[in-house]
Amino acid sequence: MLNIAETQHLFAEKNIQFFLMSFVDLHGTPRAKLVPAECLEDVCAGAAGFAGFAVDGVGQGPHDPDLSCTPVADSTVFPLPWKPGMAWIAGNLTMDGGEWAHCPRTILSRAMADAKSQGFLFKVGVEPEFFLIDKKADGSIGVADAGDTLAKPCYGQLSLLRNADFLTTVITYANQLGYGVYQNDHEDANGQFEINWRYSDALTTADRVSFFKFMVKALAEERGLCATFMPKPFANLTGNGSHMHLSLWDTEGKDNLFLDKSDPLGLSSLALSFLAGILDHAKGLCALTAPSVNSYKRFGARSPRSGATWAPIYIAYGGNNRTMMVRVPAPGRMEYRTADGSSNPYLASAALLAAGLDGVKRGLRPADPRSGNLFLLSPREARAQGIELLPANLGEALDELEKDDVLCAALGESYAQTYLETKREEWDEYAEMIAKDVSAWELKRYLGL
């Protein structure tokens, strides 16, 4: 359980009068109750009750008893820098004092405990990209910064300066909360930004990603803007990735077990087996790291305005090469580039850890690393070289997840079933819609318009 005395001391020090008792649903959407600070002990005892049926993917009907959102020993507590007197607490869903199998944070905690029993601490760094947009009177959306018009806007200095008030506010607040931000840049699309902070254990990072998205959206709203982590909000612009840097350490977090300076890529034997596990489970992983219909518009897009999608479509790895699904940017870590802004950070990390450890358990070894620009390969050319494709849409990814016993076991049998059912409803709704819609492409091709 959360250390009540320490938290009460923090509340007194920061003059916290209210806190958000928060958890995320299946989609990674934050849910919360606003609670007076003096009720902290009651909440720790299970008083923050939620009707689970009202939350997507929690696995309850309207007849089921309430779930509680309960602080646990490793809960993150953040005072809200932009809202004095308020704090945020990451909680786990429980029922009758016991763990609830449909809680994403609990699923990751369970995966981390399993890794610890094998002598490993899983560390993750995440690079969430987002757009700052505004909504027009006609309901359409556009880039919020009217001056951000370069065909190749990446690293645009003037665009950074025009948005500096917002960006530096986010960075300042994140650093007040211990993130350790070390850089921010204008990304490859107009109106798109990325803020990078220090990596940590996977659970801490997932909490930080969850809070970061909430904070960025809240601060944008205060300025009359909208911040979105949607994978592909604009057809002609690069989409939002959420690249994940992965490494295994000893349980004390002191020795990087992925590091081997004698290896050409700087990866140990353990790291190569972990990487091979990710490649082996790549198709099923997509259902959790690219979990929306929109995700696959980022994958399959033709080159956008800037010239590159930066989104892999092939199951391949290599050195410091951004056309790969797994990039090795530096010794001792690997970057998984398939994750996007719609992924649930807890489920994505749990799945990647399970896939990697399966590779370790089975002693898998990857083929030789690839080189060159894979974005130039057609699917037919890739297959001729023995390179497999990632799923083309959410439906295919869900089929792959359903067949993947390792990933389903990491989620838990009950939650895996709920996840598949929930996401299949999303895919079926979309598939039915596009099946009835007559596109401009069809009119042009078949009617000559």
Side-chain angles (χ1 to χ4, degrees), residues 191-211:
Q192 186 186 43
F193 301 92
E194 177 180 294
I195 295 175
N196 303 131
W197 64 83
R198 186 176 59 244
Y199 65 93
S200 187
D201 68 272
L203 191 62
T204 297
T205 294
D207 284 346
R208 286 175 174 169
V209 171
S210 182
F211 184 83

Side-chain angles (χ1 to χ4, degrees), residues 7-216:
T7 305
Q8 287 175 330
H9 177 75
L10 174 66
F11 281 8
E13 181 184 357
K14 301 292 185 181
N15 193 27
I16 301 300
Q17 300 167 26
F18 296 91
F19 64 93
L20 293 164
M21 192 63 253
S22 179
F23 67 96
V24 300
D25 65 15
L26 180 147
H27 307 287
T29 304
R31 309 283 183 163
K33 279 194 171 182
L34 184 62
V35 182
E38 59 267 25
C39 296
L40 176 64
E41 290 191 57
D42 294 337
V43 169
C44 287
F50 292 80
F53 180 65
V55 180
D56 211 2
V58 171
Q60 280 200 316
H63 59 291
D64 288 317
D66 280 1
L67 296 169
S68 294
C69 186
T70 308
V72 293
D74 58 13
S75 285
T76 298
V77 182
F78 283 152
L80 272 60
W82 72 98
K83 190 74 70 174
M86 189 175 294
W88 176 89
I89 301 179
N92 289 17
L93 290 177
T94 62
M95 178 180 280
D96 297 329
E99 291 184 349
W100 182 245
H102 291 236
C103 172
R105 195 174 189 276
T106 297
I107 290 169
L108 177 54
S109 295
R110 186 176 63 229
M112 295 286 284
D114 179 59
K116 185 176 181 180
S117 72
Q118 300 178 54
F120 304 129
L121 175 66
F122 186 41
K123 292 193 178 185
V124 176
V126 176
E127 301 175 340
E129 297 170 342
F130 62 92
F131 282 91
L132 285 177
I133 63 177
D134 57 13
K135 298 177 181 178
K136 313 295 185 182
D138 62 0
S140 63
I141 62 170
V143 171
D145 180 2
D148 193 346
T149 58
L150 290 176
K152 282 184 170 289
C154 200
Y155 311 122
Q157 185 166 269
L158 285 175
S159 295
L160 276 176
L161 287 178
R162 283 194 300 270
N163 293 277
D165 175 66
F166 177 82
L167 296 170
T168 57
T169 297
V170 172
I171 293 169
T172 299
Y173 289 164
N175 279 338
Q176 287 177 14
L177 300 173
Y179 277 52
V181 174
Y182 58 87
Q183 66 183 16
N184 162 225
D185 61 62
H186 188 298
E187 276 296 318
D188 196 55
N190 307 105
Q192 186 186 43
F193 301 92
E194 177 180 294
I195 295 175
N196 303 131
W197 64 83
R198 186 176 59 244
Y199 65 93
S200 187
D201 68 272
L203 191 62
T204 297
T205 294
D207 284 346
R208 286 175 174 169
V209 171
S210 182
F211 184 83
F212 179 80
K213 289 182 174 182
F214 162 62
M215 177 168 66
V216 168

Side-chain angles (χ1 to χ4, degrees), residues 89-404:
I89 301 179
N92 289 17
L93 290 177
T94 62
M95 178 180 280
D96 297 329
E99 291 184 349
W100 182 245
H102 291 236
C103 172
R105 195 174 189 276
T106 297
I107 290 169
L108 177 54
S109 295
R110 186 176 63 229
M112 295 286 284
D114 179 59
K116 185 176 181 180
S117 72
Q118 300 178 54
F120 304 129
L121 175 66
F122 186 41
K123 292 193 178 185
V124 176
V126 176
E127 301 175 340
E129 297 170 342
F130 62 92
F131 282 91
L132 285 177
I133 63 177
D134 57 13
K135 298 177 181 178
K136 313 295 185 182
D138 62 0
S140 63
I141 62 170
V143 171
D145 180 2
D148 193 346
T149 58
L150 290 176
K152 282 184 170 289
C154 200
Y155 311 122
Q157 185 166 269
L158 285 175
S159 295
L160 276 176
L161 287 178
R162 283 194 300 270
N163 293 277
D165 175 66
F166 177 82
L167 296 170
T168 57
T169 297
V170 172
I171 293 169
T172 299
Y173 289 164
N175 279 338
Q176 287 177 14
L177 300 173
Y179 277 52
V181 174
Y182 58 87
Q183 66 183 16
N184 162 225
D185 61 62
H186 188 298
E187 276 296 318
D188 196 55
N190 307 105
Q192 186 186 43
F193 301 92
E194 177 180 294
I195 295 175
N196 303 131
W197 64 83
R198 186 176 59 244
Y199 65 93
S200 187
D201 68 272
L203 191 62
T204 297
T205 294
D207 284 346
R208 286 175 174 169
V209 171
S210 182
F211 184 83
F212 179 80
K213 289 182 174 182
F214 162 62
M215 177 168 66
V216 168
K217 290 180 179 181
L219 292 174
E221 280 190 2
E222 286 188 349
R223 291 160 172 75
L225 304 175
C226 175
T228 181
F229 297 83
M230 179 179 176
K232 187 72 172 171
F234 299 103
N236 66 326
L237 299 179
T238 308
N240 284 324
S242 190
H243 305 145
M244 302 176 69
H245 293 256
L246 317 175
S247 54
L248 286 181
W249 297 62
D250 70 294
T251 55
E252 299 299 317
K254 295 180 180 179
D255 293 326
N256 183 353
L257 304 180
F258 273 11
L259 180 62
D260 182 352
K261 294 181 180 179
S262 67
D263 178 75
L265 292 177
L267 296 181
S268 66
S269 177
L270 173 72
L272 290 170
S273 288
F274 193 96
L275 192 158
I278 289 176
L279 297 175
D280 192 55
H281 293 279
K283 295 180 181 180
L285 280 168
C286 281
L288 295 157
T289 62
S292 68
V293 166
N294 187 249
S295 298
Y296 298 86
K297 297 190 175 182
R298 172 177 168 263
F299 281 7
R302 292 178 181 272
S303 293
R305 188 175 184 222
S306 67
T309 69
W310 304 110
I313 62 171
Y314 301 123
I315 301 173
Y317 83 101
N320 198 353
N321 182 334
R322 287 179 169 85
T323 70
M324 304 291 166
M325 189 194 87
V326 180
R327 175 174 77 115
V328 184
R333 62 185 165 100
M334 61 192 69
E335 179 192 42
Y336 176 80
R337 297 181 56 80
T338 306
D340 66 40
S342 66
S343 61
N344 181 319
Y346 301 98
L347 300 181
S349 289
L352 284 165
L353 179 56
L357 289 181
D358 183 57
V360 173
K361 179 182 177 181
R362 294 160 57 198
L364 298 182
R365 283 292 185 272
D368 291 338
R370 298 279 176 177
S371 60
N373 184 355
L374 295 194
F375 290 161
L376 297 179
L377 289 183
S378 70
R380 182 166 51 187
E381 291 169 331
R383 290 191 186 96
Q385 295 184 28
I387 304 175
E388 291 191 72
L389 275 69
L390 291 168
N393 56 55
L394 179 60
E396 287 186 12
L398 293 171
D399 289 342
E400 294 294 338
L401 175 60
E402 189 170 24
K403 295 185 294 187
D404 195 315

